[in-house]
Amino acid sequence: CATPAARRAATASAPCTRSSSLKPIAPRARPPRAASITCIPRSSMVATAARSPALSSRPRASNSLREPSSPGVIRQIRPGANGQLEVDPAVYADIDAALALAEKHDLYFVFVLFSGVGPDQLPAAWLNNLAMRQQLANALAPLFARYASNPRVMAWDIFNEPEWQIWGGQASEANAVSLASLIAAQIHAN
């Protein structure tokens, strides 16, 4: 019986197989690391740059970009001409620029929509009022539709660690789940 270290050494260079009657399965390459961009509040536009193996050896000064905003104020989503919420057109230009760089440097993004669900991250009405939750989800639909087929967008992260505000009593879990469900439905519809 071989030791675990001996088994690992013996199989490290050999392809994996499920049984002798199946074809060998090639070892999987590591997936690219994703970049995370928080588009909205406090530490708005947080980008953690992910790099392909070819770029990872290059020196870099920073892997984050932060664009501060006021707590509870979301400049990226605003009332439109009809009074309904809409995504500010500048957001599209920023994401287009990020995706152009992603294509050039082999980067992939996971966009984080909201940095949390507390009053410093999201206006209370957007979380606590059902009509406003639906309006917010509807406002985000064109964003999801625009980037639905872009291979550089790996995922949309609706909230970054909402449990901290929920456990701290700053937000209702039921309302956060309701809003996340409405936004997720828009993501999947596009």
Side-chain angles (χ1 to χ4, degrees):
C1 185
T3 65
R7 282 194 303 269
R8 280 194 302 275
T11 59
S13 61
C16 300
T17 59
R18 299 186 90 176
S19 85
S20 59
S21 63
L22 297 176
K23 292 181 180 180
I25 300 170
R28 293 185 190 184
R30 282 183 73 178
R33 291 187 346 208
S36 173
I37 294 186
T38 302
C39 294
I40 320 180
R42 202 175 272 230
S43 59
S44 177
M45 295 302 284
V46 176
T48 304
R51 297 184 179 261
S52 70
L55 295 175
S56 62
S57 61
R58 292 184 185 175
R60 57 184 176 190
S62 172
N63 65 357
S64 296
L65 167 68
R66 297 185 186 269
E67 180 184 288
S69 63
S70 302
V73 176
I74 312 276
R75 293 174 311 163
Q76 293 86 350
I77 299 175
R78 63 183 189 187
N82 63 1
Q84 298 292 304
L85 294 176
E86 68 179 14
V87 174
D88 186 320
V91 170
Y92 295 107
D94 290 346
I95 292 175
D96 289 344
L99 292 173
L101 288 171
E103 185 64 34
K104 181 178 177 183
H105 298 290
D106 194 27
L107 301 174
Y108 296 85
F109 290 102
V110 173
F111 288 98
V112 179
L113 298 173
F114 301 98
S115 60
V117 294
D120 287 349
Q121 294 87 22
L122 192 69
W126 292 5
L127 186 65
N128 299 324
N129 180 301
L130 178 58
M132 290 301 292
R133 288 194 296 263
Q134 186 62 58
Q135 195 179 132
L136 178 59
N138 292 343
L140 292 168
L143 179 77
F144 304 138
R146 181 171 177 147
Y147 301 107
S149 64
N150 191 308
R152 298 293 171 176
V153 177
M154 292 179 61
W156 295 97
D157 187 1
I158 298 170
F159 303 120
N160 180 37
E161 300 181 357
E163 64 274 14
W164 294 107
Q165 291 87 34
I166 292 168
W167 294 342
Q170 298 174 340
S172 159
E173 180 178 2
N175 290 347
V177 169
S178 174
L179 178 56
S181 297
L182 291 169
I183 293 173
Q186 292 292 352
I187 293 169
H188 292 267
N190 293 291

